[in-house]
Amino acid sequence: MLMKTRSLMVAAGAAMCFSGTAFAAGNPAAKAMMMSNDCFSCHAVNHQLVGPSFRAIAQRYHGRAASTATIATLAKKVISGGSGHWNAQTGGMAMTPHPQLSQAQAEGMVRWVLAQ
Ligand code: HEC
């Protein structure tokens, strides 16, 4: 019984820790929207999946210091799909289009990415 309680507490602690890091950087609403879309099936924050890591994208485009023009351009790529800019990392994979997103929604997601 004691063991069981302890392991439950450890699990709860780990879960809190996880959400703490997951929401530490960037707007949680934008992240939730990304999770209900397919962004995380091709991207991870820290490592390459099909697409480049969100941290690598943030580094390339100067993170939170990115201009509004850069954010608008990246959002358009999320909506229309993109290819050719990360071939060294992706081996030439393309990002699928996301026409269901508005420009404002996509910009919110890009700002979250750039905050990583
Ligand atoms: C089918 C896999 C896939 C999905 C789903 C996907 N991406 Fe991508 N993404 C990629 C690939 C591959 C690239 C690199 C494209 C290139 O080489 O220009 C990329 C690039 C990007 C870039 C950088 C674009 C650039 O030109 O530098 C951003 C920002 C991005 N993705 C955000 C998102 C967001 C937000 C979502 C969810 C709405 C998403 N991605 C969903 C595969 C995907």
Side-chain angles (χ1 to χ4, degrees), residues 34 37-43 50-52 54 57 60-61 74-75 77-78 82-87 90 92-96 98 100-101 106 109-110 113:
M34 289 173 70
N37 280 275
D38 58 0
C39 314
F40 288 96
S41 57
C42 287
H43 293 279
V50 176
F54 285 140
I57 295 172
R60 176 177 287 190
Y61 297 106
L74 289 174
K77 288 188 189 173
V78 172
S83 63
H85 288 80
W86 293 89
N87 285 352
T90 65
M93 290 298 295
M95 171 156 62
T96 48
H98 298 87
Q100 74 277 17
L101 299 176
M109 293 179 179
V110 167
V113 169

mmCIF file of all heavy atoms in Angstrom, residues 34 37-43 50-52 54 57 60-61 74-75 77-78 82-87 90 92-96 98 100-101 106 109-110 113, ligand 1:
data_model
loop_
_atom_site.group_PDB
_atom_site.id
_atom_site.type_symbol
_atom_site.label_atom_id
_atom_site.label_comp_id
_atom_site.label_asym_id
_atom_site.label_seq_id
_atom_site.Cartn_x
_atom_site.Cartn_y
_atom_site.Cartn_z
ATOM 1 N N MET A 34 -1.671 23.427 -31.920
ATOM 2 C CA MET A 34 -0.725 22.604 -32.677
ATOM 3 C C MET A 34 -0.936 21.131 -32.372
ATOM 4 O O MET A 34 -0.802 20.269 -33.242
ATOM 5 C CB MET A 34 0.706 23.010 -32.339
ATOM 6 C CG MET A 34 1.051 24.372 -32.908
ATOM 7 S SD MET A 34 2.650 24.939 -32.355
ATOM 8 C CE MET A 34 3.724 23.817 -33.224
ATOM 9 N N ASN A 37 -3.848 19.857 -34.192
ATOM 10 C CA ASN A 37 -3.528 19.655 -35.608
ATOM 11 C C ASN A 37 -2.438 18.564 -35.663
ATOM 12 O O ASN A 37 -2.249 17.842 -34.705
ATOM 13 C CB ASN A 37 -3.091 20.971 -36.241
ATOM 14 C CG ASN A 37 -4.301 21.828 -36.596
ATOM 15 O OD1 ASN A 37 -4.881 21.676 -37.642
ATOM 16 N ND2 ASN A 37 -4.707 22.699 -35.678
ATOM 17 N N ASP A 38 -1.736 18.462 -36.770
ATOM 18 C CA ASP A 38 -0.798 17.332 -36.888
ATOM 19 C C ASP A 38 0.671 17.729 -36.718
ATOM 20 O O ASP A 38 1.557 16.944 -37.003
ATOM 21 C CB ASP A 38 -1.000 16.641 -38.244
ATOM 22 C CG ASP A 38 -0.795 17.608 -39.414
ATOM 23 O OD1 ASP A 38 -0.502 18.800 -39.159
ATOM 24 O OD2 ASP A 38 -0.933 17.178 -40.555
ATOM 25 N N CYS A 39 0.923 18.933 -36.221
ATOM 26 C CA CYS A 39 2.299 19.452 -36.172
ATOM 27 C C CYS A 39 3.274 18.494 -35.487
ATOM 28 O O CYS A 39 4.392 18.294 -35.962
ATOM 29 C CB CYS A 39 2.325 20.793 -35.448
ATOM 30 S SG CYS A 39 1.028 21.937 -35.983
ATOM 31 N N PHE A 40 2.819 17.908 -34.365
ATOM 32 C CA PHE A 40 3.749 17.077 -33.598
ATOM 33 C C PHE A 40 3.911 15.667 -34.184
ATOM 34 O O PHE A 40 4.690 14.884 -33.665
ATOM 35 C CB PHE A 40 3.338 17.030 -32.128
ATOM 36 C CG PHE A 40 3.609 18.330 -31.428
ATOM 37 C CD1 PHE A 40 2.601 19.278 -31.272
ATOM 38 C CD2 PHE A 40 4.884 18.640 -30.978
ATOM 39 C CE1 PHE A 40 2.853 20.498 -30.662
ATOM 40 C CE2 PHE A 40 5.150 19.856 -30.363
ATOM 41 C CZ PHE A 40 4.135 20.789 -30.200
ATOM 42 N N SER A 41 3.181 15.355 -35.238
ATOM 43 C CA SER A 41 3.459 14.062 -35.875
ATOM 44 C C SER A 41 4.691 14.167 -36.767
ATOM 45 O O SER A 41 5.303 13.159 -37.089
ATOM 46 C CB SER A 41 2.236 13.542 -36.638
ATOM 47 O OG SER A 41 1.823 14.471 -37.590
ATOM 48 N N CYS A 42 5.075 15.371 -37.158
ATOM 49 C CA CYS A 42 6.279 15.541 -37.979
ATOM 50 C C CYS A 42 7.381 16.339 -37.288
ATOM 51 O O CYS A 42 8.494 16.388 -37.792
ATOM 52 C CB CYS A 42 5.933 16.250 -39.282
ATOM 53 S SG CYS A 42 5.023 15.242 -40.464
ATOM 54 N N HIS A 43 7.040 17.040 -36.219
ATOM 55 C CA HIS A 43 8.031 17.888 -35.541
ATOM 56 C C HIS A 43 8.110 17.551 -34.061
ATOM 57 O O HIS A 43 7.076 17.255 -33.445
ATOM 58 C CB HIS A 43 7.634 19.367 -35.618
ATOM 59 C CG HIS A 43 7.655 19.974 -36.986
ATOM 60 N ND1 HIS A 43 8.815 20.419 -37.592
ATOM 61 C CD2 HIS A 43 6.665 20.241 -37.869
ATOM 62 C CE1 HIS A 43 8.514 20.942 -38.783
ATOM 63 N NE2 HIS A 43 7.221 20.845 -38.978
ATOM 64 N N VAL A 50 10.265 13.990 -39.038
ATOM 65 C CA VAL A 50 10.182 14.182 -40.495
ATOM 66 C C VAL A 50 10.647 15.598 -40.825
ATOM 67 O O VAL A 50 11.390 15.837 -41.765
ATOM 68 C CB VAL A 50 8.724 13.965 -40.973
ATOM 69 C CG1 VAL A 50 8.605 14.263 -42.461
ATOM 70 C CG2 VAL A 50 8.282 12.545 -40.671
ATOM 71 N N GLY A 51 10.210 16.541 -40.021
ATOM 72 C CA GLY A 51 10.599 17.940 -40.192
ATOM 73 C C GLY A 51 11.693 18.316 -39.197
ATOM 74 O O GLY A 51 11.964 17.573 -38.258
ATOM 75 N N PRO A 52 12.279 19.493 -39.398
ATOM 76 C CA PRO A 52 13.318 19.957 -38.471
ATOM 77 C C PRO A 52 12.735 20.199 -37.076
ATOM 78 O O PRO A 52 11.533 20.419 -36.941
ATOM 79 C CB PRO A 52 13.780 21.281 -39.105
ATOM 80 C CG PRO A 52 12.699 21.699 -40.041
ATOM 81 C CD PRO A 52 11.994 20.457 -40.477
ATOM 82 N N PHE A 54 11.674 22.112 -33.708
ATOM 83 C CA PHE A 54 11.198 23.484 -33.550
ATOM 84 C C PHE A 54 12.323 24.379 -33.035
ATOM 85 O O PHE A 54 12.373 25.557 -33.339
ATOM 86 C CB PHE A 54 9.975 23.510 -32.641
ATOM 87 C CG PHE A 54 8.729 22.995 -33.329
ATOM 88 C CD1 PHE A 54 7.826 22.186 -32.654
ATOM 89 C CD2 PHE A 54 8.450 23.334 -34.647
ATOM 90 C CE1 PHE A 54 6.669 21.726 -33.292
ATOM 91 C CE2 PHE A 54 7.299 22.881 -35.294
ATOM 92 C CZ PHE A 54 6.401 22.067 -34.609
ATOM 93 N N ILE A 57 14.358 25.484 -35.968
ATOM 94 C CA ILE A 57 13.636 26.528 -36.720
ATOM 95 C C ILE A 57 13.771 27.865 -35.982
ATOM 96 O O ILE A 57 14.068 28.893 -36.587
ATOM 97 C CB ILE A 57 12.150 26.131 -36.907
ATOM 98 C CG1 ILE A 57 12.050 24.874 -37.784
ATOM 99 C CG2 ILE A 57 11.361 27.278 -37.519
ATOM 100 C CD1 ILE A 57 10.644 24.276 -37.891
ATOM 101 N N ARG A 60 17.224 29.313 -36.559
ATOM 102 C CA ARG A 60 17.457 29.853 -37.895
ATOM 103 C C ARG A 60 16.811 31.219 -38.084
ATOM 104 O O ARG A 60 17.359 32.084 -38.756
ATOM 105 C CB ARG A 60 16.937 28.889 -38.960
ATOM 106 C CG ARG A 60 17.092 29.483 -40.352
ATOM 107 C CD ARG A 60 16.662 28.563 -41.459
ATOM 108 N NE ARG A 60 17.602 27.479 -41.686
ATOM 109 C CZ ARG A 60 17.517 26.659 -42.752
ATOM 110 N NH1 ARG A 60 16.554 26.815 -43.636
ATOM 111 N NH2 ARG A 60 18.376 25.697 -42.916
ATOM 112 N N TYR A 61 15.608 31.402 -37.508
ATOM 113 C CA TYR A 61 14.862 32.650 -37.758
ATOM 114 C C TYR A 61 14.931 33.622 -36.580
ATOM 115 O O TYR A 61 14.063 34.456 -36.419
ATOM 116 C CB TYR A 61 13.414 32.311 -38.125
ATOM 117 C CG TYR A 61 13.325 31.510 -39.412
ATOM 118 C CD1 TYR A 61 13.037 30.147 -39.395
ATOM 119 C CD2 TYR A 61 13.567 32.114 -40.647
ATOM 120 C CE1 TYR A 61 12.972 29.409 -40.564
ATOM 121 C CE2 TYR A 61 13.510 31.383 -41.829
ATOM 122 C CZ TYR A 61 13.209 30.023 -41.783
ATOM 123 O OH TYR A 61 13.153 29.305 -42.949
ATOM 124 N N LEU A 74 6.536 32.548 -42.672
ATOM 125 C CA LEU A 74 6.545 31.173 -42.154
ATOM 126 C C LEU A 74 5.114 30.658 -41.985
ATOM 127 O O LEU A 74 4.826 29.502 -42.269
ATOM 128 C CB LEU A 74 7.305 31.108 -40.822
ATOM 129 C CG LEU A 74 8.819 31.288 -40.949
ATOM 130 C CD1 LEU A 74 9.461 31.353 -39.563
ATOM 131 C CD2 LEU A 74 9.453 30.163 -41.766
ATOM 132 N N ALA A 75 4.210 31.536 -41.548
ATOM 133 C CA ALA A 75 2.815 31.126 -41.380
ATOM 134 C C ALA A 75 2.221 30.727 -42.733
ATOM 135 O O ALA A 75 1.483 29.737 -42.826
ATOM 136 C CB ALA A 75 2.012 32.257 -40.750
ATOM 137 N N LYS A 77 3.823 29.433 -45.155
ATOM 138 C CA LYS A 77 4.358 28.104 -45.500
ATOM 139 C C LYS A 77 3.625 27.004 -44.747
ATOM 140 O O LYS A 77 3.396 25.927 -45.287
ATOM 141 C CB LYS A 77 5.841 28.030 -45.184
ATOM 142 C CG LYS A 77 6.651 28.843 -46.164
ATOM 143 C CD LYS A 77 8.108 28.583 -45.951
ATOM 144 C CE LYS A 77 8.909 29.555 -46.780
ATOM 145 N NZ LYS A 77 10.333 29.447 -46.484
ATOM 146 N N VAL A 78 3.262 27.270 -43.503
ATOM 147 C CA VAL A 78 2.507 26.272 -42.744
ATOM 148 C C VAL A 78 1.164 26.037 -43.440
ATOM 149 O O VAL A 78 0.705 24.899 -43.587
ATOM 150 C CB VAL A 78 2.307 26.718 -41.275
ATOM 151 C CG1 VAL A 78 1.355 25.785 -40.544
ATOM 152 C CG2 VAL A 78 3.657 26.784 -40.554
ATOM 153 N N GLY A 82 5.532 23.572 -47.403
ATOM 154 C CA GLY A 82 6.858 24.122 -47.675
ATOM 155 C C GLY A 82 7.844 23.013 -48.002
ATOM 156 O O GLY A 82 7.661 21.869 -47.582
ATOM 157 N N SER A 83 8.853 23.371 -48.769
ATOM 158 C CA SER A 83 9.913 22.406 -49.063
ATOM 159 C C SER A 83 11.152 23.141 -49.516
ATOM 160 O O SER A 83 11.088 24.307 -49.915
ATOM 161 C CB SER A 83 9.472 21.424 -50.157
ATOM 162 O OG SER A 83 9.248 22.131 -51.351
ATOM 163 N N GLY A 84 12.260 22.458 -49.420
ATOM 164 C CA GLY A 84 13.498 22.971 -49.999
ATOM 165 C C GLY A 84 14.378 23.782 -49.073
ATOM 166 O O GLY A 84 15.511 24.091 -49.429
ATOM 167 N N HIS A 85 13.896 24.144 -47.880
ATOM 168 C CA HIS A 85 14.702 24.986 -46.999
ATOM 169 C C HIS A 85 15.470 24.206 -45.950
ATOM 170 O O HIS A 85 16.329 24.746 -45.278
ATOM 171 C CB HIS A 85 13.819 26.033 -46.318
ATOM 172 C CG HIS A 85 13.372 27.094 -47.275
ATOM 173 N ND1 HIS A 85 12.318 26.907 -48.146
ATOM 174 C CD2 HIS A 85 13.875 28.322 -47.525
ATOM 175 C CE1 HIS A 85 12.176 27.996 -48.887
ATOM 176 N NE2 HIS A 85 13.107 28.864 -48.534
ATOM 177 N N TRP A 86 15.109 22.938 -45.812
ATOM 178 C CA TRP A 86 15.732 22.130 -44.751
ATOM 179 C C TRP A 86 16.205 20.794 -45.311
ATOM 180 O O TRP A 86 16.227 19.796 -44.590
ATOM 181 C CB TRP A 86 14.724 21.906 -43.611
ATOM 182 C CG TRP A 86 14.370 23.163 -42.876
ATOM 183 C CD1 TRP A 86 13.361 24.030 -43.184
ATOM 184 C CD2 TRP A 86 15.036 23.708 -41.725
ATOM 185 N NE1 TRP A 86 13.352 25.074 -42.287
ATOM 186 C CE2 TRP A 86 14.363 24.904 -41.389
ATOM 187 C CE3 TRP A 86 16.128 23.291 -40.951
ATOM 188 C CZ2 TRP A 86 14.754 25.691 -40.299
ATOM 189 C CZ3 TRP A 86 16.504 24.081 -39.871
ATOM 190 C CH2 TRP A 86 15.824 25.263 -39.560
ATOM 191 N N ASN A 87 16.567 20.783 -46.588
ATOM 192 C CA ASN A 87 16.913 19.499 -47.215
ATOM 193 C C ASN A 87 18.047 18.773 -46.501
ATOM 194 O O ASN A 87 18.032 17.538 -46.423
ATOM 195 C CB ASN A 87 17.279 19.705 -48.684
ATOM 196 C CG ASN A 87 16.048 19.964 -49.536
ATOM 197 O OD1 ASN A 87 14.932 19.833 -49.051
ATOM 198 N ND2 ASN A 87 16.247 20.328 -50.785
ATOM 199 N N THR A 90 16.233 17.149 -43.639
ATOM 200 C CA THR A 90 15.069 16.303 -43.896
ATOM 201 C C THR A 90 15.277 15.318 -45.038
ATOM 202 O O THR A 90 14.424 14.473 -45.277
ATOM 203 C CB THR A 90 13.845 17.162 -44.272
ATOM 204 O OG1 THR A 90 14.136 17.806 -45.517
ATOM 205 C CG2 THR A 90 13.538 18.196 -43.212
ATOM 206 N N GLY A 92 14.993 16.190 -48.012
ATOM 207 C CA GLY A 92 14.113 16.635 -49.093
ATOM 208 C C GLY A 92 12.628 16.429 -48.839
ATOM 209 O O GLY A 92 11.819 16.601 -49.742
ATOM 210 N N MET A 93 12.246 16.069 -47.590
ATOM 211 C CA MET A 93 10.823 15.917 -47.281
ATOM 212 C C MET A 93 10.132 17.276 -47.351
ATOM 213 O O MET A 93 10.738 18.306 -47.090
ATOM 214 C CB MET A 93 10.640 15.375 -45.854
ATOM 215 C CG MET A 93 11.074 13.941 -45.678
ATOM 216 S SD MET A 93 10.150 12.786 -46.686
ATOM 217 C CE MET A 93 8.524 12.955 -45.961
ATOM 218 N N ALA A 94 8.852 17.250 -47.696
ATOM 219 C CA ALA A 94 8.072 18.489 -47.756
ATOM 220 C C ALA A 94 7.093 18.536 -46.592
ATOM 221 O O ALA A 94 6.689 17.500 -46.073
ATOM 222 C CB ALA A 94 7.308 18.559 -49.068
ATOM 223 N N MET A 95 6.730 19.747 -46.188
ATOM 224 C CA MET A 95 5.655 19.916 -45.196
ATOM 225 C C MET A 95 4.332 19.964 -45.935
ATOM 226 O O MET A 95 4.187 20.710 -46.899
ATOM 227 C CB MET A 95 5.856 21.196 -44.381
ATOM 228 C CG MET A 95 4.647 21.507 -43.512
ATOM 229 S SD MET A 95 5.012 22.520 -42.077
ATOM 230 C CE MET A 95 5.612 24.030 -42.834
ATOM 231 N N THR A 96 3.377 19.176 -45.483
ATOM 232 C CA THR A 96 2.048 19.168 -46.095
ATOM 233 C C THR A 96 1.348 20.505 -45.829
ATOM 234 O O THR A 96 1.614 21.155 -44.827
ATOM 235 C CB THR A 96 1.206 18.035 -45.474
ATOM 236 O OG1 THR A 96 1.334 18.126 -44.057
ATOM 237 C CG2 THR A 96 1.663 16.672 -45.937
ATOM 238 N N HIS A 98 -1.706 23.120 -44.750
ATOM 239 C CA HIS A 98 -2.721 23.132 -43.687
ATOM 240 C C HIS A 98 -3.738 24.226 -44.003
ATOM 241 O O HIS A 98 -3.809 25.250 -43.316
ATOM 242 C CB HIS A 98 -2.053 23.373 -42.328
ATOM 243 C CG HIS A 98 -1.087 22.297 -41.958
ATOM 244 N ND1 HIS A 98 0.243 22.306 -42.336
ATOM 245 C CD2 HIS A 98 -1.278 21.155 -41.271
ATOM 246 C CE1 HIS A 98 0.825 21.194 -41.890
ATOM 247 N NE2 HIS A 98 -0.062 20.492 -41.242
ATOM 248 N N GLN A 100 -6.734 24.482 -43.508
ATOM 249 C CA GLN A 100 -7.783 24.717 -42.505
ATOM 250 C C GLN A 100 -7.418 25.845 -41.547
ATOM 251 O O GLN A 100 -8.265 26.340 -40.805
ATOM 252 C CB GLN A 100 -8.068 23.416 -41.722
ATOM 253 C CG GLN A 100 -6.997 23.009 -40.694
ATOM 254 C CD GLN A 100 -5.809 22.238 -41.298
ATOM 255 O OE1 GLN A 100 -5.586 22.257 -42.505
ATOM 256 N NE2 GLN A 100 -5.045 21.568 -40.440
ATOM 257 N N LEU A 101 -6.138 26.239 -41.546
ATOM 258 C CA LEU A 101 -5.684 27.271 -40.606
ATOM 259 C C LEU A 101 -5.833 28.663 -41.209
ATOM 260 O O LEU A 101 -5.559 28.865 -42.392
ATOM 261 C CB LEU A 101 -4.212 27.059 -40.251
ATOM 262 C CG LEU A 101 -3.852 25.735 -39.578
ATOM 263 C CD1 LEU A 101 -2.345 25.645 -39.393
ATOM 264 C CD2 LEU A 101 -4.577 25.594 -38.241
ATOM 265 N N ALA A 106 -2.037 30.384 -37.848
ATOM 266 C CA ALA A 106 -0.707 29.895 -38.230
ATOM 267 C C ALA A 106 0.373 30.796 -37.650
ATOM 268 O O ALA A 106 1.417 30.313 -37.194
ATOM 269 C CB ALA A 106 -0.601 29.807 -39.756
ATOM 270 N N MET A 109 0.966 29.854 -34.106
ATOM 271 C CA MET A 109 1.776 28.633 -34.021
ATOM 272 C C MET A 109 3.253 28.948 -34.285
ATOM 273 O O MET A 109 4.137 28.456 -33.589
ATOM 274 C CB MET A 109 1.284 27.603 -35.039
ATOM 275 C CG MET A 109 -0.103 27.072 -34.731
ATOM 276 S SD MET A 109 -0.589 25.895 -36.011
ATOM 277 C CE MET A 109 -2.190 25.403 -35.401
ATOM 278 N N VAL A 110 3.496 29.769 -35.299
ATOM 279 C CA VAL A 110 4.890 30.118 -35.633
ATOM 280 C C VAL A 110 5.535 30.851 -34.457
ATOM 281 O O VAL A 110 6.689 30.586 -34.107
ATOM 282 C CB VAL A 110 4.950 30.961 -36.931
ATOM 283 C CG1 VAL A 110 6.317 31.598 -37.112
ATOM 284 C CG2 VAL A 110 4.588 30.092 -38.136
ATOM 285 N N VAL A 113 6.545 28.310 -32.042
ATOM 286 C CA VAL A 113 7.751 27.615 -32.520
ATOM 287 C C VAL A 113 8.991 28.472 -32.252
ATOM 288 O O VAL A 113 10.013 27.980 -31.747
ATOM 289 C CB VAL A 113 7.637 27.291 -34.030
ATOM 290 C CG1 VAL A 113 8.964 26.825 -34.599
ATOM 291 C CG2 VAL A 113 6.535 26.259 -34.280
HETATM 292 C C1 HEC B 1 4.013 15.851 -42.993
HETATM 293 C C2 HEC B 1 4.958 16.329 -41.996
HETATM 294 C C3 HEC B 1 4.769 17.731 -41.421
HETATM 295 C C4 HEC B 1 3.677 18.239 -40.741
HETATM 296 C C5 HEC B 1 2.377 17.537 -40.456
HETATM 297 C C6 HEC B 1 4.059 19.575 -40.311
HETATM 298 N N1 HEC B 1 5.314 19.881 -40.754
HETATM 299 FE FE1 HEC B 1 6.276 21.652 -40.501
HETATM 300 N N2 HEC B 1 7.771 20.989 -41.697
HETATM 301 C C7 HEC B 1 7.909 19.709 -42.221
HETATM 302 C C8 HEC B 1 9.075 19.645 -43.071
HETATM 303 C C9 HEC B 1 9.568 18.418 -43.837
HETATM 304 C C10 HEC B 1 9.652 20.939 -43.030
HETATM 305 C C11 HEC B 1 10.884 21.433 -43.796
HETATM 306 C C12 HEC B 1 10.404 22.041 -45.133
HETATM 307 C C13 HEC B 1 11.553 22.600 -45.971
HETATM 308 O O1 HEC B 1 12.552 21.895 -46.187
HETATM 309 O O2 HEC B 1 11.416 23.770 -46.417
HETATM 310 C C14 HEC B 1 8.820 21.742 -42.143
HETATM 311 C C15 HEC B 1 9.080 23.071 -41.835
HETATM 312 C C16 HEC B 1 8.352 23.839 -40.928
HETATM 313 C C17 HEC B 1 8.656 25.206 -40.567
HETATM 314 C C18 HEC B 1 9.821 26.024 -41.117
HETATM 315 C C19 HEC B 1 9.521 26.482 -42.546
HETATM 316 C C20 HEC B 1 10.690 27.112 -43.245
HETATM 317 O O3 HEC B 1 10.520 27.484 -44.417
HETATM 318 O O4 HEC B 1 11.785 27.227 -42.682
HETATM 319 C C21 HEC B 1 7.701 25.596 -39.655
HETATM 320 C C22 HEC B 1 7.580 26.959 -38.976
HETATM 321 C C23 HEC B 1 6.812 24.474 -39.461
HETATM 322 N N3 HEC B 1 7.232 23.427 -40.249
HETATM 323 C C24 HEC B 1 5.723 24.483 -38.616
HETATM 324 C C25 HEC B 1 4.731 23.490 -38.631
HETATM 325 C C26 HEC B 1 3.453 23.614 -37.945
HETATM 326 C C27 HEC B 1 3.033 24.797 -37.077
HETATM 327 C C28 HEC B 1 2.745 22.486 -38.223
HETATM 328 C C29 HEC B 1 1.325 22.123 -37.826
HETATM 329 C C30 HEC B 1 0.270 23.014 -38.349
HETATM 330 C C31 HEC B 1 3.597 21.647 -39.078
HETATM 331 N N4 HEC B 1 4.788 22.293 -39.296
HETATM 332 C C32 HEC B 1 3.220 20.397 -39.568
HETATM 333 C C33 HEC B 1 7.021 18.667 -42.012
HETATM 334 C C34 HEC B 1 5.775 18.785 -41.433
#
